[in-house]
Amino acid sequence: MVKNNKKKEEKPKKNDFKSFLRKRAPIYLAIITIFVIFAIPELTKSDLQSRFPELTSEQKQVVDILMNYNGPNESGLTVMEAITNKISEEYPDEKIFDNKKTIVELSVSKVNDEEYHFILDFESYKGELNYDWNVNKISGKITSNNQDSKHIIDLVDFYD
């Protein structure tokens, strides 16, 4: 028997990574597209709190006391949720916080060592909402200074 000494023709080595990507590129492209369409808008969605200006740590404490207030039984709707719901009722099916005509102004000023004056003005193309409270930082007591503010506190206090 005669052995065949011919060397087998060597095929050039395939780049495994390139072939892996070529086979799966449409799948990866679809996943990235789905992420861009659905996840990114949710991550960049604007809300009331994102429109608040930069505050000092003391002012942030007052804002937290007021916005996280959820009634005398400390359960249920918070002031932040009540205001957001009110705005959502006024502007259904709209991304009102992304609108260029929407202005949110927040002012927290010190009245004395314990009490702060809190003003939140929301203005858009349909009109404006003005909220005005006094917040006692020590006791957590909130006093309404106008009818809209009183309505929000009543809503939170009597929410079931």
Side-chain angles (χ1 to χ4, degrees):
M1 242 185 185
V2 177
K3 288 186 178 180
N4 191 356
N5 289 335
K6 291 182 183 178
K7 290 184 179 180
K8 292 184 181 180
E9 288 183 29
E10 290 184 21
K11 293 182 180 178
K13 272 189 171 180
K14 287 185 178 180
N15 189 339
D16 293 333
F17 184 68
K18 281 185 180 178
S19 64
F20 175 80
L21 284 179
R22 279 190 190 136
K23 290 178 184 176
R24 290 162 184 84
I27 295 169
Y28 294 136
L29 184 61
I31 290 170
I32 291 169
T33 304
I34 289 171
F35 179 77
V36 167
I37 290 173
F38 294 107
I40 290 181
E42 286 298 315
L43 295 174
T44 59
K45 185 166 60 171
S46 187
D47 62 355
L48 179 62
Q49 193 165 7
S50 69
R51 300 294 298 263
F52 288 172
E54 289 293 319
L55 302 168
T56 66
S57 63
E58 197 170 349
Q59 290 172 328
K60 283 180 186 177
Q61 288 176 337
V62 174
V63 170
D64 287 343
I65 290 169
L66 178 64
M67 291 300 169
N68 293 323
Y69 175 72
N70 57 353
N73 59 358
E74 297 184 8
S75 65
L77 191 68
T78 64
V79 170
M80 177 67 85
E81 293 167 340
I83 294 171
T84 303
N85 291 345
K86 176 74 173 165
I87 292 170
S88 295
E89 288 171 9
E90 296 286 326
Y91 304 92
D93 302 325
E94 288 185 56
K95 294 181 179 180
I96 195 62
F97 295 108
D98 293 334
N99 190 322
K100 291 180 182 181
K101 293 183 180 180
T102 301
I103 299 170
V104 177
E105 292 179 355
L106 175 70
S107 169
V108 180
S109 56
K110 196 172 193 173
V111 175
N112 58 40
D113 288 342
E114 297 177 357
E115 197 162 331
Y116 288 80
H117 189 217
F118 181 100
I119 298 174
L120 175 66
D121 292 326
F122 173 86
E123 186 179 334
S124 191
Y125 66 91
K126 282 187 181 177
E128 60 184 66
L129 299 169
N130 301 305
Y131 300 105
D132 186 355
W133 291 284
N134 282 358
V135 179
N136 187 311
K137 186 177 170 186
I138 306 300
S139 69
K141 183 180 178 194
I142 299 169
T143 308
S144 303
N145 296 328
N146 68 9
Q147 196 60 34
D148 289 339
S149 304
K150 182 169 178 17
H151 175 72
I152 292 294
I153 295 299
D154 289 344
L155 195 77
V156 169
D157 285 344
F158 299 111
Y159 185 79
D160 288 19

